[in-house]
Amino acid sequence: MNLTDFPLFDAHFHVIDPVYPLVENQGFLPSPFSCEEYLQQMASLPLQGGVVVSGSYQAYDQDYLLAALKKLGPNYVGVTQLPPTVEDDQLRALDAAGVRGLRFNLYRAESLEVDQLESIAKRVHELVNWHVEIYADAPLIDRLSDLIARLPAVSIDHLALSRRASKPLLKLVEQGVRVKASGFGRLESDPIPLLRELYGANQECLMFGSDLPSTRAPRPFSLQDLDRIGDALCDNGVRRVLYDNALKFYRIERSG
């Protein structure tokens, strides 16, 4: 299967511009990674757009994200981090600039408190039709599964760092929760069985993400990660995971 035959939408990558403030997280500060570096690394692929995701080290800064979206153009949107005190006018302004989701980084324990998650998730969905994205490992996803099921729209990062799909995760996927097929270099096992399980539970759930520049991952993104998706799924499944599912979830208008 030649994956360059399929259009590609990258639903998870980071831009790290040291012009804007960075916050040390667990003793870590990332190296710079510009929009230009990202596009250069993806130049061999039929990239049609993507999602700039705020990292823990960017805290609540919005300036870097707005600058990146302006550089990248209309087929790119953002996912940001915000305090629960964010005002409605700021949410509307960010939405107009192309932000489409709110991220909770529970894995690094530097995001909003879990007990604040439900109220702000419902608020941003009602006001600007945003979803929430959760970065957490499988045990925490399982513990929070009842709460996650109550949220209006959800995506889970990096396959929940799972080896296999737990029953709570499969149930969430069956109920419409999305999962990023990203961060394969963060997993200790081959993702193919997990991809097949999740896709079998809901063909719309998986969305490819490069996770570039793969900060703190034991192994960075490589083109072999795309091969894993091809090995796991049929042609129709590959197109959904690489392109269709994310376009629908992030409300990107097709160019043709």
Side-chain angles (χ1 to χ4, degrees), residues 3 19 25 32 39 44 46 50 52 63 76 82 85 100-101 105-106 109 116 136 186 193 196 198 208 215 238:
L3 296 187
V19 170
N25 175 262
L39 293 173
S44 65
V52 183
D63 291 337
Y76 291 82
L82 289 166
T85 55
R100 293 292 178 264
N105 191 331
L106 306 180
Q116 297 172 311
R186 301 178 188 275
R196 287 174 175 162
L198 294 172
F208 162 76
T215 55
V238 169

Side-chain angles (χ1 to χ4, degrees), residues 158-203:
H158 307 325
L159 296 172
L161 303 175
S162 302
R163 289 177 176 270
R164 298 295 298 260
S166 65
K167 289 183 179 179
L169 180 58
L170 285 173
K171 184 176 180 180
L172 288 171
V173 165
E174 290 168 354
Q175 294 170 338
V177 169
R178 307 303 177 95
V179 178
K180 298 279 187 76
S182 61
F184 293 179
R186 301 178 188 275
L187 307 179
E188 295 180 357
S189 57
D190 191 325
I192 288 178
L194 179 58
L195 292 170
R196 287 174 175 162
E197 283 183 286
L198 294 172
Y199 185 80
N202 179 352
Q203 294 183 357

Side-chain angles (χ1 to χ4, degrees), residues 8-206:
L8 186 71
F9 186 88
D10 185 351
H12 194 107
F13 70 94
H14 304 282
V15 171
I16 304 163
D17 188 339
V19 170
Y20 301 98
L22 294 173
V23 178
E24 188 174 282
N25 175 262
Q26 298 176 348
F28 174 81
L29 279 176
S31 299
F33 187 71
S34 67
C35 295
E36 292 77 13
E37 287 175 290
Y38 168 73
L39 293 173
Q40 183 177 14
Q41 287 205 29
M42 299 293 282
S44 65
L45 299 171
L47 184 66
Q48 303 296 311
V51 183
V52 183
V53 177
S54 290
S56 57
Y57 38 77
Q58 285 154 328
Y60 297 138
D61 177 54
Q62 308 303 318
D63 291 337
Y64 98 90
L65 180 57
L66 297 178
L69 293 178
K70 187 174 181 179
K71 282 184 180 180
L72 290 165
N75 288 337
Y76 291 82
V77 297
V79 171
T80 194
Q81 299 171 144
L82 289 166
T85 55
V86 61
E87 296 183 354
D88 289 356
D89 286 348
Q90 185 180 9
L91 289 170
R92 294 189 184 98
L94 290 170
D95 184 68
V99 178
R100 293 292 178 264
L102 181 62
R103 192 183 197 211
F104 295 86
N105 191 331
L106 306 180
Y107 187 67
R108 303 291 178 193
E110 293 291 337
S111 190
L112 301 177
E113 295 296 329
V114 170
D115 60 4
Q116 297 172 311
L117 196 157
E118 184 171 5
S119 61
I120 193 170
K122 291 181 176 178
R123 179 183 164 210
V124 299
H125 188 266
E126 181 177 354
L127 185 69
V128 285
N129 197 25
W130 288 3
H131 63 274
V132 297
E133 303 201 355
I134 297 174
Y135 183 19
D137 61 12
L140 182 55
I141 293 294
D142 289 354
R143 291 199 298 273
L144 297 179
S145 60
D146 290 343
L147 181 152
I148 293 170
R150 297 196 299 268
L151 303 181
V154 186
S155 172
I156 295 171
D157 289 348
H158 307 325
L159 296 172
L161 303 175
S162 302
R163 289 177 176 270
R164 298 295 298 260
S166 65
K167 289 183 179 179
L169 180 58
L170 285 173
K171 184 176 180 180
L172 288 171
V173 165
E174 290 168 354
Q175 294 170 338
V177 169
R178 307 303 177 95
V179 178
K180 298 279 187 76
S182 61
F184 293 179
R186 301 178 188 275
L187 307 179
E188 295 180 357
S189 57
D190 191 325
I192 288 178
L194 179 58
L195 292 170
R196 287 174 175 162
E197 283 183 286
L198 294 172
Y199 185 80
N202 179 352
Q203 294 183 357
E204 293 189 342
C205 80
L206 288 171

